[in-house]
Amino acid sequence: MLEQLAVVLDALPYILQGALVTLAIVGGAMSLGLVMGIPMAVGLVYGPRFVRLILGFYVWFFRGVPILTLMFLFYFGIFDLLGLNLSALAATAIVLGMTSAAYQSQIFRGSIEALPQGQLKASRALGMSDMQGVCTIILPQALRMSIPGWSNEFSIILKDSALAYVVGAMDMFTRTHFVASRTYEHLTLFITAGVIYFIITLVGVKLLLALEKKVRIPGYTS
């Protein structure tokens, strides 16, 4: 037991450095997913038919293909064909971000469709364009309603970030596996990594829950 504890204490700083890489991947992926997911959701709800078809195919593809397959497809295939010399960290964040965009677009679309349909018509009656109505009336409400779903997406992306291992990104999982393969303390080290993943998930979800409470409008049930 003392030897196992010594191994964990010795490896902990190295593993925690990987936790920072994991957080960078998750932050990049969630941000890219947010930037892409919002206009995709608007296009899926309000866009013309050909736009909805294109976006629908995007969502179908990235939700239907395993992330591991996407990692190999983009990192060793598409990015190389495009001449993009991306680091493993950047490539992982981009692939997870594009995948997250497919899921986030559905979260935002559901929130938009849950709002009373007459709100956009009311904005037109006030002389607003559809774009102004969506940006100033629809989206602020939809984004507030999307926080619980976004919290769930954060947890999923955090777990999926461990797939950075397959392209060589030095995230927490990769570093834990690296140490375990040399010390043969797989169980102890992976339990330690699992606890850190759990703590990150717990803190992230708690922060998003606090944000949800902060932006909640008393008496507003939508």
Side-chain angles (χ1 to χ4, degrees):
M1 179 64 71
L2 291 178
E3 291 182 3
Q4 293 173 333
L5 182 60
V7 170
V8 170
L9 292 177
D10 185 57
L12 192 58
Y14 181 72
I15 293 175
L16 289 176
Q17 290 177 4
L20 296 177
V21 176
T22 294
L23 289 173
I25 292 173
V26 174
M30 291 295 291
S31 299
L32 179 59
L34 179 67
V35 171
M36 293 178 62
I38 291 176
M40 284 174 61
V42 173
L44 286 167
V45 177
Y46 300 113
R49 186 172 183 274
F50 77 93
V51 171
R52 296 199 304 270
L53 288 174
I54 294 172
L55 294 176
F57 176 79
Y58 179 97
V59 172
W60 170 81
F61 178 80
F62 278 93
R63 293 179 70 180
V65 179
I67 294 179
L68 184 60
T69 303
L70 292 172
M71 293 283 290
F72 282 112
L73 174 64
F74 279 88
Y75 188 70
F76 296 108
I78 294 176
F79 290 154
D80 188 52
L81 287 175
L82 295 176
L84 299 176
N85 186 22
L86 299 175
S87 67
L89 188 155
T92 302
I94 291 172
V95 172
L96 290 179
M98 290 190 297
T99 304
S100 181
Y103 286 93
Q104 290 193 46
S105 68
Q106 299 306 295
I107 295 172
F108 300 135
R109 186 183 75 167
S111 297
I112 291 173
E113 292 179 339
L115 295 171
Q117 296 183 359
Q119 292 195 12
L120 189 58
K121 295 179 181 178
S123 69
R124 293 169 181 160
L126 293 173
M128 294 184 179
S129 65
D130 285 353
M131 181 63 69
Q132 289 175 322
V134 169
C135 292
T136 61
I137 297 177
I138 303 298
L139 282 181
Q141 299 177 80
L143 292 177
R144 176 175 54 80
M145 294 167 58
S146 299
I147 294 176
W150 211 66
S151 175
N152 185 56
E153 180 65 11
F154 165 78
S155 301
I156 294 172
I157 290 297
L158 176 61
K159 290 182 287 186
D160 288 344
S161 68
L163 290 173
Y165 165 77
V166 301
V167 294
M170 295 301 290
D171 71 323
M172 184 164 61
F173 180 86
T174 304
R175 289 170 182 257
T176 302
H177 183 271
F178 180 81
V179 176
S181 64
R182 282 156 177 75
T183 62
Y184 301 103
E185 293 292 345
H186 292 81
L187 179 61
T188 306
L189 289 167
F190 279 110
I191 287 176
T192 302
V195 170
I196 298 173
Y197 275 115
F198 176 78
I199 292 173
I200 295 174
T201 301
L202 183 63
V203 172
V205 170
K206 289 290 185 181
L207 289 174
L208 288 170
L209 180 61
L211 176 62
E212 181 187 2
K213 291 180 178 179
K214 184 176 180 61
V215 300
R216 180 181 298 162
I217 300 175
Y220 191 81
T221 58
S222 296

